Structure formats: C-alpha cells, structure tokens
Amino acid sequence: MAYKLWYWPSIQGRGEFVRLALEAAEIAYEDCARTVGEEGLLADLNDRTGRTPFAPPYLELDGLVIAQVANILMYLGERHSIAPSTMADRLWLNQLQLTIADLVAEVHNVHHPVAMMDYYDDQKPEAARAAKQFREERLPKFLGHFEDAAQANPGDWLIDHRWSYADTSLFQIVEGLRYMFPRRMKTLEPEYPNLNRIHDQVAELPGIKAYLKSDRRIAFNTDGIFRHYPELDAA
Amino acid sequence: MAYKLWYWPSIQGRGEFVRLALEAAEIAYEDCARTVGEEGLLADLNDRTGRTPFAPPYLELDGLVIAQVANILMYLGERHSIAPSTMADRLWLNQLQLTIADLVAEVHNVHHPVAMMDYYDDQKPEAARAAKQFREERLPKFLGHFEDAAQANPGDWLIDHRWSYADTSLFQIVEGLRYMFPRRMKTLEPEYPNLNRIHDQVAELPGIKAYLKSDRRIAFNTDGIFRHYPELDAA
C-alpha cells in the first residue's frame, strides 16, 4: 500500500520537505489533496479523532498517522534507510532538520509578522521591518550554520557517502530562498560553496530530476511559505 | 559522569523543558552557565567546531553534543526510559513535543513580532497586534489540541501509566501561559480539564516537587520566552 500524504494542494510549503524525501527515495505515495482538494483535506483533518495532527502535512499508512515534518522524515529515515542508523548520526540529522524548521518558521514570519491568520496586505509595514532584520541578521546566521554542517564532510553528502533527508531539505531551503530573496541571495551565496554543492548534488539525484520536471512539483507562488515580494528583498 | 546542560543562566526559556525532564527523572546534570555565566556559555558555543549547536540549549555527555529541545528530549527518552518504546508511541510523543515547540515559537513572536534581535520596547504597537490574534485564535487552537491529547488516555498520563517528557513539557506550557496571560488563561482554562490534570500530576512528581522548591528553578521574568506584559493580556 502506498503512503497517503496530506498537505495543501496548491503550495510547496512545509509539505515539500516530505515530498522531496519521498521522490528522492522513489517511494510510492499519493498526494491526496491534489485529488480531493483543500476542502477534502480539511474534511479529512476535522474528521480525525484520537492522535490527531495539529496541522498538515501528515502521512498515513495502515492507520498510523504521523505529523510534523521532522517527525515524518525521521520515520521515513528509519523505515527506508534514507538516514544513517548510528545514534549520533540520527540525532545530528534530526537536529539539522529542526534548525531548518526554525528557519522556515522565521521565513513565514517575515510576511506574516503580526497576524499569522490574516493577509500579507494587512501587515505590509510590519513585514518590511521584519524582512530587514531577517535578511541582514538571521539569514546569514542560518546559512552560515548550514555551510558549516555541509563542510563537516568535505566534498560529500552531509553524512557519509549517501544522501539523507537533511540533504533534500537543504536543497529546498536554497531553492526557496533564491525565489524569495533573489537579490539578497546573490550577495550571500558566494560565501556558502558547500551548501550550494549539496543543493546541486540533490538536483542531480534521479528521483529529484524526474520530480522537478513533472507536474507533481508545484511552482513557488505567493501563497506558500517562501514568497517573492520584491519590496521585501534587497542586496 | 553527569550531563552538562548549556543554556542561558537567568531564564527558564527553552532550556526549561530539558531541565524539567532531567529533574523529574532525577538524572544528575550540571547547569553549566549557572556557574560560568552568560559569557562562559557564549565562549563555549563559539569555541565549538564540527557538529555545532545553532543555539542553546544543548546537552553534552562524553563528547556527544545534542541540540534542539525535542531532539534532546528524544535522546533522554530513549536512554533513560522516560518515554515509551514502541514506534507509534515514540512518534506521537515527538509529534506532541514539536507542536509544543511551535507554540513556544509563536509565544516568543508575540513580544518580538518584527525584530527578534531588538527589545520589546522597540516594537510595542506591533506586539499588541500580534498578542490579540494569538490570544483569541492561536492560543485556544493549541490548548484544544493538547486537551484532546490529554483526553486520549483518560485519567492518566499522555501515554500509558507513567509520565514521559511530553507530560513535563505540557506542565511548563500551562505554567508559562498562566504567568504570561493570567486574565486570558482564567477565561480559557475551564475548557481544558485534562490538560490541567496532567499539569497537576507533574507538579506532584517527587523530582519536580523538590525542583520547584529549590533555587535551581529560576523565576519567570521578562527576559524569558513567557513574559508578563499586562498590556498584552485580556480576558
């Protein structure tokens, strides 16, 4: 039986970290809301009882429902050997994924600083202020951290000689930030050669190559987490 | 050898979730920065190379350094049996802890909506707006989710018949929110009897009872994550 992935059908968002790991490993899954739509997703979420997800994405197999991106990836890593198996390596990978999750939350906060449930248009002055500090202080701090992580295993993947889910997640971070902040990333990127190398290696994985060319990959847009608003970018 | 915990020495903050699990399990640890101060913590962090933490808290034992609260707790859970061992239970516990981490990030965003690295005083109007939506929409959504989780195992702990680290974390959420939003919590709390029950059960654990009476428990204050600013509270 194939996995059922439940996530918003019109954005990459947080679900994309799960999609990328599944696609890279060529694991069969059904992206359910691409068929039943947003209403179908909300109906599925609201009908659940017991151990329920707080929010999408969640992954379902044989009655087991797993939510939270890092948790889903850890499960896939254990089950499909797309993660190392020693304790120290597993913890390091989970730690990196959780730091990626922190970055993603801060990225979302840039365009929704004061009212997560309202529109960007209702908080543009606040977003401009949030974007400035994010671009100038937070972004280099996060990217420098991931560069150090990528440098720890020179010329190779994050850990050992094979990709893991944190490699595909770093790919997505680079893709998303290039879309959201093209001018800022042009300035910063030369400082992160190892992070870029991992990005390029992931793009060449057969499963990812096929995925990026398929219509399963939703284009970046201004409904997702990484949003390109030119007024929030600067070199 | 005792664990070394590295975290800011004058606040509960994110480190408190780790302190509570260690104290409840009566596991020996040294809260290093209580001795060497904030400068000592920063020096330790900056001197690290290789697999480094992005930020405190981090836990050290025999050269292994683990960062990110949910990651540290998962490690302690596996190592000291303060978490269930079946896969489904482990994933559910981690999922809850990650949702608690999401709540904590949103709580911090209430008083630092537009400039994480600046002072609250520099963003008071924005914080007032962020606080309103948090109190009215986000807080009931999170607490309702945790109430459902607490209700899933009626009259007992979150899972089975013994406490786990997500129980101690829920205790801290209730404590922190009561300090930060006393008026709002007075309105909401009657709706969450099972969450309050878990809070009270944790408070009665021998290790926690001793800890709360000791000077190891730092008082809530307006440098931490849960901050009481009366102007941000409302019934």
Side-chain angles (χ1 to χ4, degrees):
Chain A
M1 200 178 111
Y3 286 108
K4 288 184 174 189
L5 174 65
W6 290 93
Y7 193 66
W8 308 110
S10 56
I11 62 169
Q12 292 187 18
R14 286 181 170 83
E16 197 66 14
F17 296 98
V18 180
R19 292 188 185 115
L20 285 168
L22 291 165
E23 296 279 353
E26 301 177 43
I27 296 168
Y29 71 102
E30 186 188 346
D31 202 344
C32 300
R34 300 292 296 269
T35 307
V36 302
E38 201 167 304
E39 302 74 24
L41 167 60
L42 286 168
D44 182 85
L45 183 59
N46 290 333
D47 285 349
R48 294 190 175 273
T49 54
R51 294 181 174 184
T52 56
F54 181 72
Y58 51 97
L59 190 73
E60 188 179 3
L61 182 75
D62 293 335
L64 179 66
V65 178
I66 312 166
Q68 286 283 359
V69 170
N71 198 39
I72 297 170
L73 293 175
M74 193 174 66
Y75 164 81
L76 291 174
E78 285 181 23
R79 181 99 172 214
H80 298 278
S81 47
I82 57 168
S85 57
T86 72
M87 186 186 70
D89 284 349
R90 277 190 298 116
L91 291 167
W92 170 237
L93 213 60
N94 188 43
Q95 180 176 320
L96 278 175
Q97 188 63 45
L98 291 173
T99 305
I100 289 169
D102 289 345
L103 168 60
V104 167
E106 291 192 29
V107 162
H108 188 268
N109 193 62
V110 164
H111 45 79
H112 280 75
V114 289
M116 179 177 289
M117 313 305 286
D118 298 346
Y119 290 108
Y120 165 63
D121 279 349
D122 297 330
Q123 47 197 312
K124 285 173 85 165
E126 294 91 344
R129 194 171 161 197
K132 182 172 160 56
Q133 188 169 85
F134 181 81
R135 284 193 317 265
E136 294 176 3
E137 297 185 45
R138 302 298 292 172
L139 188 54
K141 186 170 156 71
F142 274 106
L143 293 178
H145 179 73
F146 297 133
E147 173 67 15
D148 289 346
Q151 203 167 22
N153 194 20
D156 216 318
W157 298 100
L158 280 168
I159 296 177
D160 294 340
H161 306 300
R162 50 186 299 188
W163 70 272
S164 65
Y165 64 75
D167 292 289
T168 52
S169 294
L170 286 186
F171 164 84
Q172 179 65 3
I173 288 295
V174 172
E175 288 281 299
L177 291 169
R178 282 179 184 169
Y179 166 73
M180 185 167 176
F181 298 111
R183 298 174 62 198
R184 185 59 176 154
M185 285 299 278
K186 202 173 169 192
T187 302
L188 290 175
E189 277 205 39
E191 294 173 46
Y192 312 117
N194 289 283
L195 178 58
N196 283 330
R197 176 179 50 75
I198 297 231
H199 167 273
D200 295 349
Q201 287 173 198
V202 169
E204 289 302 313
L205 291 172
I208 295 295
K209 258 181 121 154
Y211 173 59
L212 296 178
K213 274 187 274 187
S214 76
D215 61 5
R216 297 191 303 285
R217 172 79 163 183
I218 301 160
F220 283 110
N221 59 55
T222 49
D223 292 319
I225 297 214
F226 293 102
R227 301 187 183 190
H228 180 55
Y229 295 122
E231 65 273 22
L232 299 184
D233 192 18
Chain B
M1 200 177 111
Y3 286 107
K4 289 185 173 189
L5 174 65
W6 290 93
Y7 193 64
W8 308 110
S10 56
I11 62 169
Q12 292 187 16
R14 286 181 170 84
E16 196 67 12
F17 297 97
V18 180
R19 292 187 185 115
L20 285 168
L22 291 165
E23 295 279 354
E26 301 178 42
I27 296 168
Y29 71 103
E30 186 188 347
D31 201 345
C32 299
R34 300 291 298 268
T35 308
V36 302
E38 200 167 304
E39 302 73 25
L41 167 60
L42 286 168
D44 182 85
L45 183 59
N46 291 333
D47 284 351
R48 293 190 177 274
T49 55
R51 295 182 173 184
T52 55
F54 181 72
Y58 52 96
L59 190 73
E60 187 178 5
L61 182 74
D62 293 334
L64 179 66
V65 178
I66 311 166
Q68 286 282 0
V69 169
N71 198 40
I72 297 169
L73 292 175
M74 194 174 65
Y75 163 82
L76 290 173
E78 285 181 23
R79 182 100 172 212
H80 298 279
S81 45
I82 56 167
S85 58
T86 73
M87 187 187 69
D89 284 348
R90 276 191 297 116
L91 291 168
W92 171 239
L93 213 61
N94 188 44
Q95 179 176 321
L96 278 175
Q97 187 64 44
L98 291 173
T99 306
I100 289 168
D102 288 346
L103 168 60
V104 168
E106 290 193 29
V107 162
H108 188 266
N109 193 62
V110 164
H111 47 78
H112 280 75
V114 289
M116 180 177 286
M117 315 303 287
D118 298 345
Y119 290 109
Y120 165 63
D121 280 348
D122 298 330
Q123 48 197 309
K124 286 173 84 166
E126 294 91 345
R129 194 171 160 197
K132 182 172 160 56
Q133 188 168 85
F134 180 81
R135 283 192 319 264
E136 295 177 1
E137 297 187 44
R138 302 298 292 172
L139 187 54
K141 186 170 157 71
F142 274 106
L143 292 178
H145 179 74
F146 297 133
E147 173 66 13
D148 289 345
Q151 202 167 21
N153 194 20
D156 215 318
W157 299 100
L158 280 167
I159 297 178
D160 294 340
H161 306 300
R162 50 185 300 190
W163 70 271
S164 64
Y165 64 76
D167 291 290
T168 51
S169 293
L170 286 185
F171 165 85
Q172 180 65 4
I173 289 295
V174 172
E175 288 281 299
L177 291 170
R178 283 179 182 169
Y179 166 73
M180 186 166 176
F181 298 111
R183 296 175 64 201
R184 184 61 177 153
M185 286 298 279
K186 202 174 168 192
T187 303
L188 291 175
E189 278 205 40
E191 294 173 44
Y192 311 118
N194 289 284
L195 178 58
N196 283 331
R197 176 180 48 75
I198 298 236
H199 167 274
D200 295 349
Q201 287 173 197
V202 169
E204 288 303 313
L205 291 172
I208 295 295
K209 258 181 122 154
Y211 173 58
L212 296 178
K213 274 188 273 186
S214 77
D215 61 5
R216 298 192 300 287
R217 172 80 162 181
I218 300 160
F220 283 109
N221 59 54
T222 50
D223 293 320
I225 298 215
F226 294 102
R227 301 187 183 191
H228 180 53
Y229 295 122
E231 64 274 23
L232 299 184
D233 192 17

